[in-house]
Structure formats: C-alpha cells, structure tokens
Amino acid sequence: MIGHTQPRRLAARTIAERIARSWVPSWAGWSLQVRFTDRVGSDTRVKLMTDGILLAEIQRDRLLRGTTR
C-alpha cells in the first residue's frame, strides 16, 4: 500500500475526490482516512490521509508493516 499525506482534512478529502473523479471509477484501490472518516478496505492500494493519521499509525507500528510491501 502507498500512503499519501496532506496536512489538513479538507486537502486530503479534495485530493481523494479529484483522484476518484479523474483516474479511478468507484474508488477501486483508493481510500481516504481522515478523522471521523475511514474508507480503507482490504483491496486498498493507495491511501490518502492526514499527517495526524500517519503519526498515529507510526505510534502503533513503527515500521509501518501494514502499509509497505
């Protein structure tokens, strides 16, 4: 999985919506995780998130084993 971060929720959501509209129909392989919103699934290949979400994931798993292959 590839992680893409944005500093603010609005920026992450805007980028995710733009990607969904222009590149990938129906969010196939793409996901968004910001505070109070989690659209991450088992088929997620690219995850857009806020910096805070990434920091929380680093606290749980320093090597980010769930996000890198």
Side-chain angles (χ1 to χ4, degrees), residues 24-50:
V24 183
S26 73
W27 286 86
W30 295 81
S31 67
L32 170 68
Q33 184 174 0
V34 295
R35 192 173 178 196
F36 308 121
T37 303
D38 187 358
R39 296 184 184 168
V40 179
S42 60
D43 63 337
T44 298
R45 291 179 287 159
V46 179
K47 177 179 174 180
L48 286 96
M49 65 190 117
T50 59

